[in-house]
Amino acid sequence: MTIYVLVHGSCHGGCCWKKLTPLLHKYGHSVYTPTLTGLGERSHLVNKSIGLDTHIPDIVQLFEFEDLDEVILVGHSYGGLVIGGVTEKVPNRIRRHIFLDAYIPQDNKSAFDIIPGLETFYKERRLKEEGKGWLVESYTPEEFGVTNPEDIKWMRTRLSPMPWHTHDQPIRITNVRAKTIPKSFICFSEFGHSQFNSLKSKAGWDYHELMRGHDAMITAPYELVELLELIGKSD
């Protein structure tokens, strides 16, 4: 049995793994799908102070309270920064990282530093409502690469605006033990050009591609779970 902790990305909640979780269970794995503070079913807790330094402890607390060890820690999109920060805190509890079309943490850099043009794009999508400029309008399901009408309908009621400080807070990556943990990257290549395609040849990275949109856990759960199973067996 493998323990998976699946960390969602921007604007999503833990429910985005709804199709994937039972497939992992069929392989006999244990799966945790926490929702980050201020998003998904926890969107009623959203406030101006929420940032990356809120979301990293969200997942560290899960490890502590559930006594999790030997975990495959999976981060989708923005969740890549979160799992990078978690690994800085509890490296001895993590067996492997898997980045799903995710931001790759860099020491002392924020999401805005890592992704060229993202800060300008987020500024354009800040909520216009007075006093809400610290929230960024969610991408649409279609912008996440979802095309099935039923999936689009389901997602529209579950996507949340993103607190600004999740993307302007830098992360520190300095833990020597954390840097030794095996890491895989799965590029969902239909979402457009990935700036992380260089990982194909970068030493230390196990690189894979799925010809699917950015939310492959919704649009291609069977293909994704087969790839996760393949990666998990490689350890």
Side-chain angles (χ1 to χ4, degrees):
M1 183 190 74
T2 295
I3 299 172
Y4 283 89
V5 173
L6 310 179
V7 181
H8 63 82
S10 297
C11 310
H12 291 65
C15 64
C16 73
W17 308 105
K18 184 176 181 179
K19 293 183 180 181
L20 192 71
T21 299
L23 302 179
L24 287 170
H25 285 159
K26 284 184 179 179
Y27 279 108
H29 304 315
S30 179
V31 186
Y32 294 84
T33 59
T35 293
L36 302 172
T37 301
L39 300 171
E41 78 276 11
R42 304 183 70 199
S43 58
H44 63 293
L45 299 175
V46 73
N47 63 76
K48 191 174 183 178
S49 68
I50 288 174
L52 185 59
D53 61 4
T54 310
H55 291 160
I56 292 169
D58 280 344
I59 308 304
V60 172
Q61 287 287 85
L62 173 69
F63 274 74
E64 296 292 345
F65 279 79
E66 296 291 345
D67 294 318
L68 302 182
D69 286 294
E70 285 295 301
V71 169
I72 293 185
L73 182 58
V74 180
H76 174 241
S77 196
Y78 160 75
L81 293 184
V82 179
I83 69 171
V86 171
T87 306
E88 287 290 298
K89 304 293 185 183
V90 290
N92 293 330
R93 295 184 172 219
I94 297 166
R95 173 177 140 197
R96 174 177 286 274
H97 303 119
I98 301 180
F99 293 80
L100 302 183
D101 226 27
Y103 303 167
I104 303 299
Q106 298 178 33
D107 184 41
N108 209 31
K109 291 188 177 182
S110 69
F112 290 151
D113 296 325
I114 294 169
I115 311 294
L118 185 62
E119 183 173 4
T120 298
F121 180 71
Y122 265 46
K123 285 179 178 177
E124 293 171 351
R125 297 185 71 134
R126 280 184 166 184
L127 297 189
K128 302 300 188 291
E129 183 182 346
E130 185 175 354
K132 294 289 187 179
W134 51 272
L135 279 173
V136 178
E137 177 186 354
S138 172
Y139 290 83
T140 66
E142 293 88 346
E143 288 173 318
F144 281 123
V146 178
T147 57
N148 180 284
E150 287 300 314
D151 289 336
I152 290 171
K153 180 180 177 181
W154 180 81
M155 286 182 68
R156 278 180 180 157
T157 60
R158 289 166 173 81
L159 295 173
S160 307
M162 200 68 184
W164 182 265
H165 290 319
T166 57
H167 280 60
D168 74 351
Q169 288 181 347
I171 186 170
R172 296 309 312 268
I173 302 295
T174 60
N175 189 303
V176 175
R177 170 70 182 93
K179 293 177 181 179
T180 68
I181 297 172
K183 48 192 180 293
S184 300
F185 190 91
I186 302 177
C187 177
F188 299 152
S189 48
E190 275 188 7
F191 191 56
H193 175 71
S194 171
Q195 69 168 30
F196 303 120
N197 281 343
S198 61
L199 294 175
K200 292 178 182 179
S201 57
K202 190 171 182 179
W205 281 91
D206 171 49
Y207 182 87
H208 305 266
E209 288 188 14
L210 277 181
M211 284 293 292
R212 290 291 182 268
H214 190 54
D215 275 13
M217 64 282 190
I218 294 172
T219 61
Y222 289 95
E223 293 174 72
L224 180 55
V225 79
E226 290 294 333
L227 190 46
L228 291 176
E229 183 69 4
L230 177 67
I231 292 169
K233 286 181 176 179
S234 68
D235 293 334

